[in-house]
Amino acid sequence: AQSVTQPDIHITVSEGASLELRCNYSYGATPYLFWYVQSPGQGLQLLLKYFSGDTLVQGIKGFEAEFKRSQSSFNLRKPSVHWSDAAEYFCAVGAKAAGNKLTFGGGTRVLVKP
Amino acid sequence: NAGVTQTPKFRILKIGQSMTLQCTQDMNHNYMYWYRQDPGMGLKLIYYSVGAGITDKGEVPNGYNVSRSTTEDFPLRLELAAPSQTSVYFCASTATGTSGSGTQYFGPGTRLTVL
């Protein structure tokens, strides 16, 4: 069965500082990997996704993520955080063979200090 | 396109009551999903459907039922509401094939409280 671990429940970062959110997955085949963001009281918005090819993926809002097969990781990064990046971030793994079902990590809540 | 829409946005139920959460998508997606999100937690899959007339259980199906009579609609039914079903419910959909590549599009959610 597939699983996703986001080791950091909360992260506090100063505005303008860099941000890295960790994601480790377990899946037997080649996974599809996703990062979603959820602002308070809102639904989930896709930030970026990895299916194949280049292991460094660019997303919206200046985010990027790197797929490292050897480490089973898909960490999310942003070079300079803005106050509007305060939200909850979810990593998810899925596979077409599994009915495109997604398994989500527990999420990381990001707080941005002025 | 409206994308994925859900109604109602909020609902309070008494223990033992029933209700149906509505979900509609206008993207002609074959696959649809229901998730629940408990406070401070990630999303857990309740049920999913790979097409009209075809549904299957996810990780946490107990206490829920679904049907899929059309491509567009995927209602979730709670028959005997329990406090453990207090949660935020999200519906999602995705296309099949390489053009869709598994990206799920989410509705805005329904916040349900069972008292």
Side-chain angles (χ1 to χ4, degrees), chain A residues 52-100:
Chain A
S52 64
D54 193 347
T55 56
L56 185 62
V57 180
Q58 302 296 321
I60 63 171
K61 303 185 180 187
F63 284 92
E64 65 177 27
E66 186 170 12
F67 170 56
K68 293 186 177 179
R69 185 186 300 275
S70 62
Q71 299 177 17
S72 296
S73 69
F74 189 56
N75 294 349
L76 182 71
R77 298 191 294 257
K78 185 168 184 177
S80 178
V81 169
H82 187 261
W83 64 266
S84 60
D85 294 322
E88 185 135 25
Y89 293 78
F90 292 97
C91 181
V93 62
K96 193 174 176 182
N100 282 338

Side-chain angles (χ1 to χ4, degrees), chain A residues 32 34 36 38 41-46 49 51 88 90 96 98-107 109, chain B residues 31 33 35 37 40-43 45 48 50 90 94-98 100-104 106-108 111:
Chain A
Y32 295 164
F34 305 82
Y36 284 87
Q38 184 181 34
Q42 303 296 312
L44 278 74
Q45 180 183 22
L46 180 69
K49 59 190 178 186
F51 294 139
E88 185 135 25
F90 292 97
K96 193 174 176 182
N100 282 338
K101 291 185 291 183
L102 291 183
T103 298
F104 285 83
R109 183 169 296 278
Chain B
Y31 290 7
Y33 310 82
Y35 295 91
Q37 183 182 28
M41 306 291 286
L43 280 72
L45 183 65
Y48 70 103
V50 300
F90 289 101
T94 187
T96 54
T98 54
S101 298
T103 301
Q104 291 190 15
F106 285 81
R111 186 175 297 274

Side-chain angles (χ1 to χ4, degrees), chain B residues 13-19 78-85 112 114:
Chain B
L13 283 182
K14 294 183 179 178
I15 294 172
Q17 286 186 320
S18 301
M19 77 164 294
L78 283 71
E79 290 295 349
L80 292 170
S84 60
Q85 294 177 304
L112 175 66
V114 182

